[in-house]
Amino acid sequence: MRKLFIAGNWKMNLDDVGAVQLCQDLKTQLAGCGAAKVDVAVFPPFVYLPIVAEALRGSTIAMGAQDVWTEGNGAFTGEVSVDMLKDVGCTFVLVGHSERRHVIGETNELLNKKAKVALAGGLNVIFCIGELLEERQGNKTEAVVEEQIRLGLAGITAEQMANVTIAYEPVWAIGTGVTASKEQAQEAHAFTRKILTDLFGAEVAEATRIQYGGSVKGANAAELTAEPDVDGALVGGASLKADDFMAIINNGASNVGGCGGCCCG
Ligand code: PEP
């Protein structure tokens, strides 16, 4: 069974005091979980990465950045390199979040470069995919998702896939309060795994974790992560409060190996 992976994308939220407080609350609430059945990571804004790394010290919570540039250190005003992210303690990076694709305008080709440079530099990548509402309504979900995967992961090796998590995030569900049904999520995740099988073989596809993202809350985490191809969640709004995020972690963990409704093993 793939271990669940719950990640919190803070987007452009919180301040320095709020960021540290959230880490402390999560640390306290996760403490005592022993060999937790869920991997947890947070993705703060760039400027808070160093204080979050400090606040998370001694915990099992991993830290990642929300973006990375395609080149190494040099003349790229405003951008942040893989080496810089590793320097401040990141082990993960998000690539292709829907806001980067649809608000900032990042293309599949640019995102492919970001994924490749991050993996080559030793970061784990959460690679985000997902269709717009009009694409779903036009029955284009599979075509969009397939193109995002094939172009976004082009040139990435089967070995490197050990460091890739896919996040299926239908754009119409992000920040809207509308969640994909468990059937819609399972269908898109199974299709994603089918494309991964075609690209990298069944063993790699089976081992790759595919998170669902889009208005995940404590109340729907258990039913979503109970689906056979839903291996966790990428959480936005509900990751900004420790109690809300912990409810998702605990309810997700209730699906993992007889945990009985908590993340403690
Ligand atoms: C996200 O930002 O990736 C996300 C899924 O946001 P929310 O949980 O708020 O829908």
Side-chain angles (χ1 to χ4, degrees):
M1 176 181 247
R2 295 172 293 271
K3 192 176 179 188
L4 286 184
F5 181 19
I6 310 285
N9 171 15
W10 297 358
K11 310 193 186 193
M12 201 168 74
N13 288 301
L14 299 175
D15 58 14
D16 55 353
V17 174
V20 170
Q21 186 64 53
L22 178 52
C23 293
Q24 284 165 351
D25 292 345
L26 289 175
K27 254 170 99 167
T28 307
Q29 295 193 36
L30 273 170
C33 280
K37 294 176 175 169
V38 178
D39 289 327
V40 178
V42 293
F43 291 75
F46 284 137
V47 292
Y48 302 135
L49 290 169
I51 57 168
V52 166
E54 186 56 36
L56 292 177
R57 200 176 292 279
S59 82
T60 55
I61 304 170
M63 182 180 77
Q66 297 173 20
D67 190 25
V68 67
W69 187 236
T70 55
E71 309 292 331
N73 293 356
F76 300 99
T77 302
E79 296 297 343
V80 177
S81 70
V82 170
D83 283 350
M84 290 170 179
L85 296 182
K86 291 198 301 182
D87 214 20
V88 296
C90 288
T91 51
F92 282 87
V93 65
L94 293 181
V95 175
H97 188 276
S98 83
E99 287 141 25
R100 305 286 326 166
R101 290 179 185 271
H102 298 295
V103 181
I104 316 286
E106 296 192 348
T107 62
N108 285 318
E109 291 70 24
L110 178 71
L111 297 172
N112 176 242
K113 282 190 195 159
K114 291 187 173 189
K116 284 197 288 202
V117 80
L119 290 168
L123 287 175
N124 296 288
V125 168
I126 297 185
F127 192 81
C128 307
I129 57 172
E131 80 287 359
L132 296 162
L133 182 59
E134 57 264 35
E135 292 167 340
R136 174 161 283 267
Q137 288 169 338
N139 287 324
K140 294 193 182 123
T141 298
E142 291 193 349
V144 169
V145 161
E146 179 165 359
E147 181 171 69
Q148 290 172 338
I149 299 170
R150 287 190 186 277
L151 297 181
L153 301 184
I156 287 168
T157 65
E159 290 70 34
Q160 286 177 313
M161 284 301 291
N163 300 110
V164 175
T165 299
I166 305 289
Y168 168 67
E169 300 202 297
V171 182
W172 46 271
I174 298 180
T176 59
V178 178
T179 314
S181 67
K182 58 185 172 44
E183 293 82 9
Q184 287 173 320
Q186 169 57 23
E187 188 179 35
H189 284 226
F191 178 75
T192 296
R193 210 176 298 284
K194 185 172 139 225
I195 304 300
L196 294 179
T197 304
D198 192 37
L199 286 173
F200 302 107
E203 202 178 322
V204 169
E206 192 47 43
T208 302
R209 291 193 289 194
I210 307 175
Q211 299 172 313
Y212 167 78
S215 299
V216 177
K217 321 175 213 2
N220 56 30
E223 73 165 21
L224 285 162
T225 56
E227 292 298 315
D229 288 294
V230 179
D231 307 314
L234 178 53
V235 184
S239 71
L240 296 172
K241 289 199 182 127
D243 288 351
D244 294 346
F245 196 47
M246 284 305 304
I248 294 170
I249 294 168
N250 286 330
N251 292 343
S254 68
N255 290 318
V256 189
C259 182
C262 82
C263 67
C264 305

